[in-house]
Amino acid sequence: MAVDLEQMLLRLQKRYNRLKKIDELTDELRDAFARHDEVSASLLLDMRAEEMAEVDTCIGEIWDLARAGGDDRREVSRLMSADPYTAKRTDSWEENKIFEVRRKTMELLTQLQDKDRRMSLSVGGDKSYYKKQPNVT
């Protein structure tokens, strides 16, 4: 049985969409902190946590596609671990789209990490996780 690439792609796209929502919530959270609006900040943190849990669910569903083991597991592993920037284009539209969505996701994650770092340093100052981790980029 071959991995259902369409289902894998759908789950990767769903993950990307959830990360976009986290990005939006992060912007709203930054604004709430700037206004010193603790109630809104608390609600937004809860909403972000829910979205993060959904992102984890998407990843779990992708690996569930490989549950049968053998070739399916190797295929999912290849598609999920190959560098999407250097992966060779194939004749498979789904495979190429999987790598495209993974590239967009990696770029979004980098932006999110930067926003989170800046917000944490702004709000937490010397108590920020990032202040305690000088080698974090």
Side-chain angles (χ1 to χ4, degrees):
M1 178 179 159
V3 173
D4 188 339
L5 295 179
E6 184 177 344
Q7 287 302 313
M8 187 174 177
L9 178 57
L10 289 171
R11 284 163 176 81
L12 283 169
Q13 186 62 51
K14 181 178 177 185
R15 175 181 178 235
Y16 176 78
N17 292 341
R18 294 289 187 172
L19 288 167
K20 287 291 285 181
K21 181 66 176 171
I22 292 170
D23 187 47
E24 293 169 13
L25 291 170
T26 301
D27 290 340
E28 291 179 37
L29 181 60
R30 182 195 60 227
D31 294 343
F33 281 140
R35 294 189 313 271
H36 303 288
D37 184 348
E38 293 177 23
V39 173
S40 293
S42 179
L43 290 170
L44 289 163
L45 283 169
D46 289 344
M47 292 168 67
R48 268 181 30 138
E50 290 172 14
E51 291 297 327
M52 288 176 191
E54 289 296 325
V55 167
D56 287 344
T57 298
C58 293
I59 293 297
E61 290 173 349
I62 289 167
W63 286 106
D64 284 347
L65 295 172
R67 189 177 308 155
D71 290 339
D72 287 355
R73 178 165 290 287
R74 280 188 286 279
E75 183 69 1
V76 171
S77 181
R78 180 184 71 79
L79 292 168
M80 291 299 289
S81 62
D83 182 346
Y85 294 99
T86 60
K88 293 181 181 176
R89 294 196 52 85
T90 68
D91 291 335
S92 168
W93 180 87
E94 289 91 352
E95 268 192 45
N96 294 328
K97 195 69 173 167
I98 284 169
F99 288 127
E100 178 185 327
V101 171
R102 286 196 51 232
R103 278 190 300 273
K104 289 180 4 183
T105 300
M106 289 174 75
E107 291 164 4
L108 178 58
L109 282 170
T110 299
Q111 292 172 358
L112 263 168
Q113 288 168 339
D114 185 55
K115 282 183 185 182
D116 191 68
R117 181 186 57 77
R118 284 184 279 128
M119 185 172 47
S120 177
L121 287 168
S122 174
V123 172
D126 288 339
K127 295 180 182 178
S128 167
Y129 167 82
Y130 295 99
K131 190 71 167 184
K132 296 174 185 175
Q133 304 293 324
N135 293 330
V136 174
T137 57

